[in-house]
Amino acid sequence: MVRAVQIRQHGGPEELQLVDVPVGEPGPGEVRIRHRAIGLNFIDVYHRTGLYPLSMPAGIGMEAAGVIEAVGEGVTHLQPGDRAAYASNPPGSYAEARVMPAMCVCRLPDAIDFETGAAMMLKGLTAQYLLKKTLPVEGLQPGDHVLFHAAAGGVGLIACQWARALGLELIATAGSQAKCELALANGAAHAINYREEDFAARVQEITGGRGVKVVYDSVGKDTWEPSLRCLRPFGLMASFGNASGPVPPFAPAQLGALGSLYVTRQTLFTHIRTREATQAMADQLFEVVASGQVKIHIAQRYPLAEVQQAHRDLEARKTTGSTILTLD
């Protein structure tokens, strides 16, 4: 038996309950992993609230790092004793140990500790597919401007650093001056406090009226309309989250009127749908982290038993960088 967080119904943080659950042996294509640290992500809130519905009772959490205890038939890339980390379906990482599909579990390099591994997989792989694979039709070259919302969060701080390494001029938005300063310290070329400035007008000012080639947006409803006004002709609106709520329906003709724009809604789990794709993306992430080009900022740590408070703080925008749940 291990301690794990479950929900019995969708709702608020109070639905997150710490319970004892059995953990068996891995079946074909599975591993059993003993967690050392667990990552917290906004998708966990979507699962808890029912924006992304789950069958009940449900585990929560998509990201963790630990040690492989056992492997099932057909698993060849991992063996007992390996240090490992993952971002993976199905939810259930808020646990001391679990049995899960091996496909998206990657061996963790010795140069990266467990807490960093737990804090970087979902967020780092997201930054990877955005900056390297979710590209405007005209591509991205050094010196190009991109707009990144929620840039002081876990994904955002990784993206700021990675964009700088790629030579991009990343324009960050955040909800306070302190968060803007954090984004700038991590490689953003410009930062806009959207609570005090019209970010669309400021983006046009920064770019000399040309606009940006791409907007990376995990906020959703609140930033959608002004973000479209930030794009240059043939620009790409890349939505990958709904922190403020889902984007409402819009008329495709609006995209034409604003400059023949492109829109995409991305999810990490499309990108990591195969073992080969997952490993290739993880290898790039491990390389930029191990090299020091990207540092993973763990700004909050909560014991697993305090998971309700962790969710409250995340939803209240009280967190910056990455957050982990500890198992001490």
Side-chain angles (χ1 to χ4, degrees):
M1 304 292 285
V2 300
R3 293 184 304 158
V5 174
Q6 286 188 344
I7 58 172
R8 300 277 173 182
Q9 61 183 10
H10 293 117
E14 69 280 357
E15 299 298 337
L16 299 164
Q17 299 297 319
L18 196 59
V19 298
D20 291 329
V21 298
V23 178
E25 295 299 316
E30 294 182 332
V31 296
R32 187 174 71 238
I33 183 168
R34 177 71 53 172
H35 292 148
R36 297 291 182 85
I38 300 160
L40 186 77
N41 295 282
F42 222 95
I43 193 173
D44 307 345
V45 174
Y46 301 159
H47 285 144
R48 192 203 75 224
T49 60
L51 180 63
Y52 300 166
L54 300 175
S55 299
M56 299 297 159
I60 292 287
M62 311 293 290
E63 176 183 50
V67 177
I68 301 298
E69 291 188 326
V71 302
E73 180 184 353
V75 177
T76 58
H77 69 287
L78 295 165
Q79 60 185 5
D82 282 348
R83 302 168 71 256
Y86 66 85
S88 178
N89 272 316
S93 69
Y94 291 10
E96 292 174 326
R98 67 183 296 201
V99 170
M100 63 178 295
M103 184 182 74
C104 294
V105 183
C106 299
R107 187 179 292 119
L108 188 65
D110 291 340
I112 300 174
D113 62 53
F114 287 118
E115 288 196 349
T116 301
M120 69 183 250
M121 290 299 287
L122 190 145
K123 292 171 276 289
L125 293 176
T126 297
Q128 192 277 347
Y129 82 69
L130 291 173
L131 293 173
K132 305 283 273 186
K133 301 170 75 175
T134 309
L135 303 176
V137 67
E138 296 177 337
L140 287 175
Q141 290 80 40
D144 283 342
H145 287 97
V146 303
L147 178 63
F148 207 102
H149 290 304
V155 176
L157 290 184
I158 294 171
C160 285
Q161 297 172 77
W162 209 330
R164 176 176 58 187
L166 294 171
L168 301 174
E169 296 283 312
L170 185 144
I171 304 171
T173 73
S176 71
Q177 192 57 38
K179 288 184 175 183
C180 285
E181 290 172 2
L182 185 59
L184 290 168
N186 281 274
H190 306 272
I192 304 168
N193 182 347
Y194 64 80
R195 297 188 189 279
E196 296 182 355
E197 290 189 86
D198 177 342
F199 73 79
R202 181 75 179 111
V203 165
Q204 293 299 331
E205 180 182 338
I206 290 169
T207 62
R210 294 186 300 275
V212 298
K213 279 190 171 182
V214 59
V215 176
Y216 296 114
D217 182 21
S218 63
V219 177
K221 176 173 64 69
D222 290 353
T223 50
W224 183 260
E225 288 289 343
S227 291
L228 293 176
R229 299 198 302 273
C230 293
L231 289 164
R232 65 175 59 186
F234 308 112
L236 173 65
M237 181 67 185
S239 173
F240 67 102
N242 319 279
S244 67
V247 174
F250 63 92
Q254 182 184 14
L255 304 177
L258 290 171
S260 300
L261 304 179
Y262 293 79
V263 170
T264 182
R265 178 58 167 92
Q266 297 283 308
T267 67
L268 171 63
F269 300 103
T270 307
H271 289 275
I272 59 173
R273 67 191 182 278
T274 68
R275 168 82 206 118
E276 294 75 18
T278 302
Q279 192 63 57
M281 292 171 65
D283 287 344
Q284 288 194 19
L285 174 61
F286 294 153
E287 181 180 357
V288 296
V289 171
S291 71
Q293 290 179 297
V294 171
K295 293 180 171 60
I296 307 301
H297 296 277
I298 303 173
Q300 299 81 210
R301 292 172 172 82
Y302 300 83
L304 184 61
E306 296 180 14
V307 64
Q308 293 183 4
Q309 188 60 48
H311 271 235
R312 291 188 187 99
D313 290 348
L314 182 64
E315 287 183 278
R317 309 289 210 286
K318 292 182 178 179
T319 65
T320 59
S322 296
T323 301
I324 62 168
L325 303 172
T326 62
L327 296 160
D328 297 336

